[in-house]
C-alpha cells in the first residue's frame, strides 16, 4: 500500500512549456484533489474530483486542467506554464461517500515546480 | 463559505516549554477540523482531527486540540515541546473541499 504518490518530485520548466504532474493512489478513494502551496498562503485548492469522470474547479483553477479516467489516477496539466505557477503542488485523496472519519484526506509528498 | 484563520505567522518556543497554536474557523454547520504538520521540504502529516463527540482530541506526537464551538476555535497544544517539533502547522476545515489556514511556523530554541 503506497498511499498517494506523485511524480516528478522536482521540475524546471520554461515559460510556455506544458507538462503533466502525475498523482496516483491505491486506497480506492473516490475523492482526489490538487493543491498548490505558496509562502504565507497555506494550501489552495486547484481542482478536485469526486469520482472517475467527474471533476470540478477549486479556488485557483486558471491555467490548469485535470481529468479523471480511473479511480486511481488524477493528473494535473499545465498547458502553457507561467512564472506565477512556480509553487509546490500536493495531491490528496480520501473517501467521499462515507461520513465521518473516512473523509480524512491523505497527501502525497509534493512536486516542486519552477517556471523560468 | 468556509475559511480558516491562523493568527500567528511565527512562534518561537524553548525546548521543554508548552506550545499553543491558534485556529479560528468560519463554517455554517458543524465542521470537520484538522491539524496537519509539515517539516521542511516534506509533505503534510495529519496530527489530529475532530468530527464529533468529545471536544478534546488527542493526536500523534503528544499533541491535542480542543474544539470550542462558542469561540469557533480549534487550538492545538503540546505540554512540552521537543526540538523535532520545529515545523509549519496548518489548521484546516472540511466539507468536501479542504480549506487551509496560512500556517504557523514553529521554531524551537535550545
Amino acid at each position: 500500500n503506497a498511499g498517494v504518490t506523485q511524480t516528478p518530485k522536482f521540475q524546471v520548466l520554461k515559460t510556455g512549456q506544458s507538462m503533466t504532474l502525475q498523482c496516483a493512489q491505491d486506497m480506492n478513494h473516490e475523492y482526489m484533489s490538487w493543491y498548490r502551496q505558496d509562502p504565507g498562503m497555506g494550501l489552495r485548492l486547484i481542482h478536485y474530483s469526486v469520482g472517475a469522470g467527474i471533476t470540478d474547479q477549486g479556488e485557483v483553477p486558471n491555467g490548469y486542467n485535470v481529468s479523471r479516467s480511473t479511480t486511481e489516477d488524477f493528473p494535473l496539466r499545465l498547458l502553457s506554464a507561467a512564472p506565477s505557477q512556480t509553487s509546490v503542488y500536493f495531491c490528496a485523496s480520501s473517501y467521499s461517500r462515507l461520513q465521518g472519519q473516512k473523509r480524512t484526506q491523505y497527501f502525497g509528498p509534493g512536486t516542486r515546480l519552477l517556471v523560468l | 463559505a468556509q475559511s480558516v484563520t491562523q493568527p500567528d505567522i511565527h512562534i518561537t518556543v524553548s525546548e521543554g516549554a508548552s506550545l499553543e497554536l491558534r485556529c479560528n474557523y468560519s463554517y455554517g454547520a458543524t465542521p470537520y477540523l484538522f491539524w496537519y504538520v509539515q517539516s521542511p521540504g516534506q509533505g503534510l502529516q495529519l496530527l489530529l482531527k475532530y468530527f464529533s463527540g468529545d471536544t478534546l482530541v488527542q493526536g500523534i506526537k503528544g499533541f491535542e486540540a480542543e474544539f470550542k464551538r462558542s469561540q469557533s476555535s480549534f487550538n492545538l497544544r503540546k505540554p512540552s515541546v521537543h526540538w523535532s517539533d520545529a515545523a509549519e502547522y496548518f489548521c484546516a476545515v472540511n466539507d468536501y473541499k479542504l480549506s487551509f489556514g496560512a500556517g504557523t511556523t514553529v521554531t524551537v530554541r535550545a
Side-chain angles (χ1 to χ4, degrees), chain B residues 21-41:
Chain B
L21 303 182
R22 295 183 290 165
C23 172
N24 294 100
Y25 68 89
S26 173
Y27 187 68
T30 301
Y32 292 169
L33 293 160
F34 304 82
W35 275 100
Y36 288 87
V37 61
Q38 184 180 33
S39 298

Side-chain angles (χ1 to χ4, degrees), chain B residues 46-110:
Chain B
L46 180 69
L47 280 177
L48 47 77
K49 57 195 174 187
Y50 171 79
F51 288 91
S52 64
D54 193 346
T55 56
L56 185 62
V57 180
Q58 301 297 320
I60 62 171
K61 304 185 179 186
F63 284 92
E64 66 178 24
E66 186 171 12
F67 170 60
K68 292 186 177 180
R69 184 188 300 275
S70 61
Q71 298 178 17
S72 297
S73 69
F74 189 56
N75 294 348
L76 181 71
R77 297 192 293 256
K78 185 169 184 177
S80 177
V81 170
H82 187 262
W83 64 266
S84 60
D85 294 322
E88 191 163 18
Y89 292 80
F90 294 94
C91 181
V93 64
N94 170 254
D95 183 358
Y96 274 117
K97 296 173 282 187
L98 207 56
S99 293
F100 283 86
T104 299
T105 299
V106 173
T107 298
V108 180
R109 60 180 173 224

Side-chain angles (χ1 to χ4, degrees), chain A residues 31 35 37 40-43 45 48 50 57 90 96 99-101 103-109 112, chain B residues 32 34 36 38 40-44 46 49 51 88 90 94-103:
Chain A
Y31 183 91
Y35 297 84
Q37 183 180 25
M41 304 189 75
L43 281 79
L45 183 64
Y48 66 98
V50 298
Q57 296 181 350
F90 288 99
S96 66
Q99 298 292 325
Q101 306 270 337
R103 200 182 280 178
T104 300
Q105 291 196 28
Y106 296 90
F107 285 81
R112 292 183 176 274
Chain B
Y32 292 169
F34 304 82
Y36 288 87
Q38 184 180 33
Q42 303 298 312
L44 279 82
L46 180 69
K49 57 195 174 187
F51 288 91
E88 191 163 18
F90 294 94
N94 170 254
D95 183 358
Y96 274 117
K97 296 173 282 187
L98 207 56
S99 293
F100 283 86

Side-chain angles (χ1 to χ4, degrees), chain A residues 37-81:
Chain A
Q37 183 180 25
D38 303 292
M41 304 189 75
L43 281 79
R44 293 179 292 168
L45 183 64
I46 304 172
H47 285 285
Y48 66 98
S49 168
V50 298
I54 305 170
T55 64
D56 205 348
Q57 296 181 350
E59 182 183 355
V60 288
N62 293 340
Y64 308 95
N65 280 349
V66 292
S67 60
R68 184 94 180 269
S69 57
T70 67
T71 299
E72 294 78 19
D73 301 297
F74 190 45
L76 179 71
R77 281 182 284 275
L78 284 71
L79 299 179
S80 179

